[in-house]
Amino acid sequence: MTNFADITLSLVLLPVLSTLGSSRILVLVKVIAFQGFLISIAPFFINKSISIGDIVFSILMIGIRGIIIPAFIYFAVKKIAIKKEVEPIIGYHASIFAGLFLIAFSVFISTKFNLPAAHNNKFLIPTAITTLVSGMFLLMTRRKAITMVMGYIMIENGTYLAGLTLSQHTQYIIEFGILLDVLVGIMLMGIVLHNINRTFDDIDTTLLRSLKDN
């Protein structure tokens, strides 16, 4: 299973680089859905033993991460009718280089941690760190609110992978609670995006600076 685990974790990093280097919103939605699916099935290859609870929880994860959350974002994008991200604060080529540097840095720094890991997979911690910090990077360097939402989802994905390093079996109640929070947050963000778009005829968050108290 180790080879399958390494392949799965390597594939998780591809969406990270794709989100950093792409300006097409619908492509980003598909990439986030793909990453959510990979993260949902990762415990099958990482855990030494799989219980019925693990299988049921993974199916729920696939439904929420891989289908429901991306579907909400997809319909929000379609309703607002946006296709591309405006020019980001940090350019796409520079963002990809930053992502590659982050992967290398994560591999280096993961060897410095002395965590009571429940798994022996050497790629799990670097992948978790890369996904988590890349989500923060998206939040800080993108102007469209919808892209920031995707960064928020990536942060949650990285948090989940980090949790796998410390637990042989996923803490179902905690993780499911986090997923519900993310789902509610996505629904609320859809309402916010609609209101921003209706007010400014755009969802560029820099336009919010023009709001003033009367």
Side-chain angles (χ1 to χ4, degrees):
M1 287 292 185
T2 302
N3 291 333
F4 287 108
D6 293 345
I7 292 172
T8 302
L9 292 174
S10 298
L11 290 175
V12 168
L13 295 177
L14 291 180
V16 171
L17 296 177
S18 297
T19 53
L20 294 178
S22 178
S23 63
R24 296 190 176 276
I25 303 297
L26 291 178
V27 172
L28 296 181
V29 175
K30 296 176 182 178
V31 166
I32 288 295
F34 178 64
Q35 186 183 65
F37 173 78
L38 290 174
I39 289 177
S40 299
I41 65 174
F44 286 111
F45 307 116
I46 295 174
N47 288 334
K48 296 179 180 178
S49 61
I50 299 295
S51 65
I52 298 298
D54 293 327
I55 296 174
V56 172
F57 184 72
S58 293
I59 293 174
L60 290 174
M61 289 257 294
I62 291 172
I64 296 176
R65 291 180 186 274
I67 299 175
I68 296 178
I69 291 178
F72 271 118
I73 299 176
Y74 177 82
F75 288 123
V77 170
K78 282 294 186 179
K79 186 176 181 63
I80 300 172
I82 56 174
K83 295 182 179 180
K84 289 186 177 182
E85 167 75 81
V86 295
E87 188 63 28
I89 298 174
I90 297 180
Y92 297 111
H93 291 90
S95 295
I96 293 176
F97 280 117
L100 293 173
F101 171 79
L102 181 58
I103 293 174
F105 179 75
S106 298
V107 172
F108 170 76
I109 199 173
S110 64
T111 61
K112 307 298 181 181
F113 292 144
N114 187 22
L115 298 176
H119 309 281
N120 295 322
N121 190 289
K122 61 182 179 180
F123 294 117
L124 184 55
I125 296 178
T127 303
I129 295 174
T130 301
T131 306
L132 180 63
V133 179
S134 295
M136 296 179 182
F137 185 84
L138 277 179
L139 282 174
M140 294 185 293
T141 62
R142 298 298 185 259
R143 300 176 187 272
K144 291 285 188 184
I146 194 71
T147 315
M148 295 179 178
V149 172
M150 297 181 195
Y152 174 58
I153 295 173
M154 284 183 59
I155 291 175
E156 203 282 326
N157 289 342
T159 302
Y160 173 72
L161 287 177
L164 285 179
T165 65
L166 302 176
S167 175
Q168 181 68 35
H169 298 285
T170 306
Q171 301 299 318
Y172 304 129
I173 297 177
I174 297 175
E175 178 58 26
F176 195 65
I178 293 174
L179 277 178
L180 288 178
D181 289 341
V182 172
L183 184 58
V184 171
I186 297 300
M187 295 172 65
L188 293 176
M189 182 56 69
I191 298 173
V192 172
L193 289 175
H194 175 71
N195 290 333
I196 293 175
N197 186 65
R198 185 176 59 182
T199 302
F200 297 106
D201 197 28
D202 199 343
I203 56 170
D204 185 349
T205 53
T206 57
L207 296 175
L208 296 175
R209 298 175 183 173
S210 63
L211 294 177
K212 296 180 180 179
D213 294 330
N214 294 323

